[in-house]
Each structure stands twice: as C-alpha cells, then as structure tokens.
Amino acid sequence: MMWQLAAGALAMLVLSTLFIIWPRKADAKNNQTPAQLFEERLQLLALARDAGELAEQDFDTAANELKQQFLEQEQQAIRYKQPKQQRVLHLSLVLVTALIVAVVYSQNGHYRQLSDWEYAQQNLASYGQRALLGEGEPLNEQDMQLFSLALRTKLANEGDDAVAWMLLGRVWMTLGMLEEAVESFERALKLMPERTPLLISYSQALIMLGGDMNLAKAGQSVARVLMQEPENIDAISLMALIAYERGDNAEAVAAWQLLASRLAPDDPRLEVVNARLAELNAPATVGTAEQNAAFVREVKVQVSVGAELAAAHPGASLFVFARAAEGPAIPLAAKRLPLVAGVTEISLSAADAMQAGWNLEQTNLIQVVARMAVSGTVERSAQDVEVVSAVLSFEQPVLSVQLTLEQ
C-alpha cells in the first residue's frame, strides 16, 4: 500500500512539472520572434513606398527607426532569456512545488495510519495469541487499537466470523467502547448463541453500560449460562451484581452468599465477595442453621429414556428442571446431562438454582420437566421431546417423581 502511495505522489509531481514547463514552451512556439516582426514591418514600409504612399526620405527614416527597435529587442532577449536561466527557473519551480507537497502531506496525510493498518494485519495472529493465550507481553492500549483494526479488516474482507466478533467485542469493552462492544457480542451470538464465554462477556458489557433494559438482557444471558452450567462461578457472580445494580439487595446477598460457599478459601475473589456482603451488612459465609435451612428441600427425579429415542438422537442433551406451577418461567432448579438410554436418577435442590433468590424455597407448588434437546442447547426445536409431571406440593421436604421420555 505504501508503494502505491509513493507512486501516486511521484505521478502528481511529474504532472506538476509538465504544467510548469509545457505552457512556456507552447508560448515560445506560437509567438513571432523579433526578427520575424522586423522583416514583416520592413516589407510593409517597402510596399507603401512602391505604391507612392511614402517618400524615399521618409522610408529611410522609418527603416532606420525600425532597425533601432529590432536591435534593442535583440539585446533584451540576450540579456533576459538565456537558456540556462530558464532551466534554473523551471527547476526552482519544480523544487518549490515538491517542497510544498511534502510539507502539506507530512502535516495532513494518512501515511502513518496506512503503515499501522499494514502492521496490524501482519500481526493479527500474534495479537490473538497474546490476548487469548496470554503469550508474550499483555496488550497495551495501542496494541488494542491495532488489534481492533486488524479484526475489522478481517471481518470486512472475509465476512462474519463468530470468534472475530467476540474478540472485537472484548477489545472494545477494554477500551471503554461499550455500545460497540455490545453490538459485536450480539453479532457473535447470532452465530454461536450458546457459547458460555461469549454470554459472560456480553453480560459484563451490558452491566457496565447500565440501564434497566440492559440489566434485563444481562440477566437473561446469565440465566442461559446457568441453565447449562449451574455451578458456573462467573455467572453466579454476575447474577449477584445484576441484582445489586437493580437495587434488589436481598437477592444480591443470596447470590453472593451462594458464591462464597462455592469459592475455595484461598480464592482471591472471596475477599471481594465478603467485602460486598459486609457492605450490605450480611454474613460473609453460608453455614449457620438458619442459612442451611434454605437448602433442605429436594426433588428426586427418576427419568427413563427409551432406547429408540436415544439411538435416534445420539448428540442430544437431557434437561431436567423444576418450575413454579404458577409464576415466572425461569426454572427453580435445573440440571443438564447427556441423553442416554435407560434410567437416570437426578437430584434437584436450591443449590441448582438458575437465579439468585429464585429457588425451591420460593414456592410450594412445582412441576418437574424432562426435555430432550436435539440441539444440545436450551433453545427449543420441533424435534425436542418433553414430558411434564403433575403439580407437586412441598408437604414434605423431599419429593420424588418418575418421568419417561420415549420416541
């Protein structure tokens, strides 16, 4: 690209040189010389004399004056129009033009941006390794800018790429360009809607952007992660943060207490969680009798999967979840397993909650659902097979139910 720019500048310089020199040569060819003018005027005088319009004495006087003018013009031409002086003048004009072009482009040109763009494209793989794998030095702000430039070029040249959109969203989120980051994550989600790291990053960007609508979207995204991975620490942490941002301190405390119970004692995140709980004047850990009472209720589910159904859909997943008989559609507790033929026993408790503050303790009437998901995700399709239990009541802490999935 830089050589094309240099070639264009050289072409403009050549054209400028032609514009400076060519008109002068053209004028020299089209105008009469002093000698030609002298001869033409002398002939006119001779014709006037021969026609009797001019006396011989007057002819001689006019001819002498004409000759004197010719000699003066010749001296001026010799003095002021020497070829060497013309060449110096032309060369000076060309040099001044080149200097003006160089100064103007050095101040207003985009050659540095073009150079950075070429460098970014050449080092796209290296930036990706440093960002994703942590190889080499961490990316600084300038590296992030070049990385985003290379990713945008790749997307423009090669079309949609889910990983590229996800990486671009993370770069823009790091640079504080939150609206652009959210848009990039959404374009990536259209291509791979169930990828956990992408859903987590998307939720983080929405929380940072703020606003009720964005927080609601973030909650939905986190819920999709928890449906697939109920033990995901990042998702639980984000759910607590969403509740805190919405002003629901009780739900935030429940989520952070749940998170504190899942973190190892030496995990550096535990200190942050305890600080949040202390800010809300809540116990830092889960372990008292009153807190453990929230985890008493349990649903034991026995799911029978037909051999023909399992054989017909070898890559399918089995989702088993409990939901409120009356209330929000978000599951109270859920687990995901691979679909296998035979009987599978599953236990659902408040520890399998999808959302902090919404678990088996929140309602007495529930239904248990077993669903075969052909796509392996929570998104339903026409091929999915689902069975729903009758309404169950928590008249005792532990409930048991049997469900059968067949072709």
Side-chain angles (χ1 to χ4, degrees), residues 322-328 332 358 363-368 390-393:
R323 66 189 183 193
E326 297 179 357
L332 298 161
W358 184 245
T363 181
N364 289 325
L365 300 178
I366 67 168
Q367 287 180 301
V368 180
V391 176
L392 305 176
S393 176

Side-chain angles (χ1 to χ4, degrees), residues 146-168:
L146 294 175
F147 191 20
S148 69
L149 180 61
L151 288 170
R152 282 180 288 162
T153 302
K154 173 182 173 63
L155 290 166
N157 293 337
E158 302 178 12
D160 283 340
D161 182 288
V163 175
W165 279 119
M166 181 178 69
L167 290 176
L168 183 59

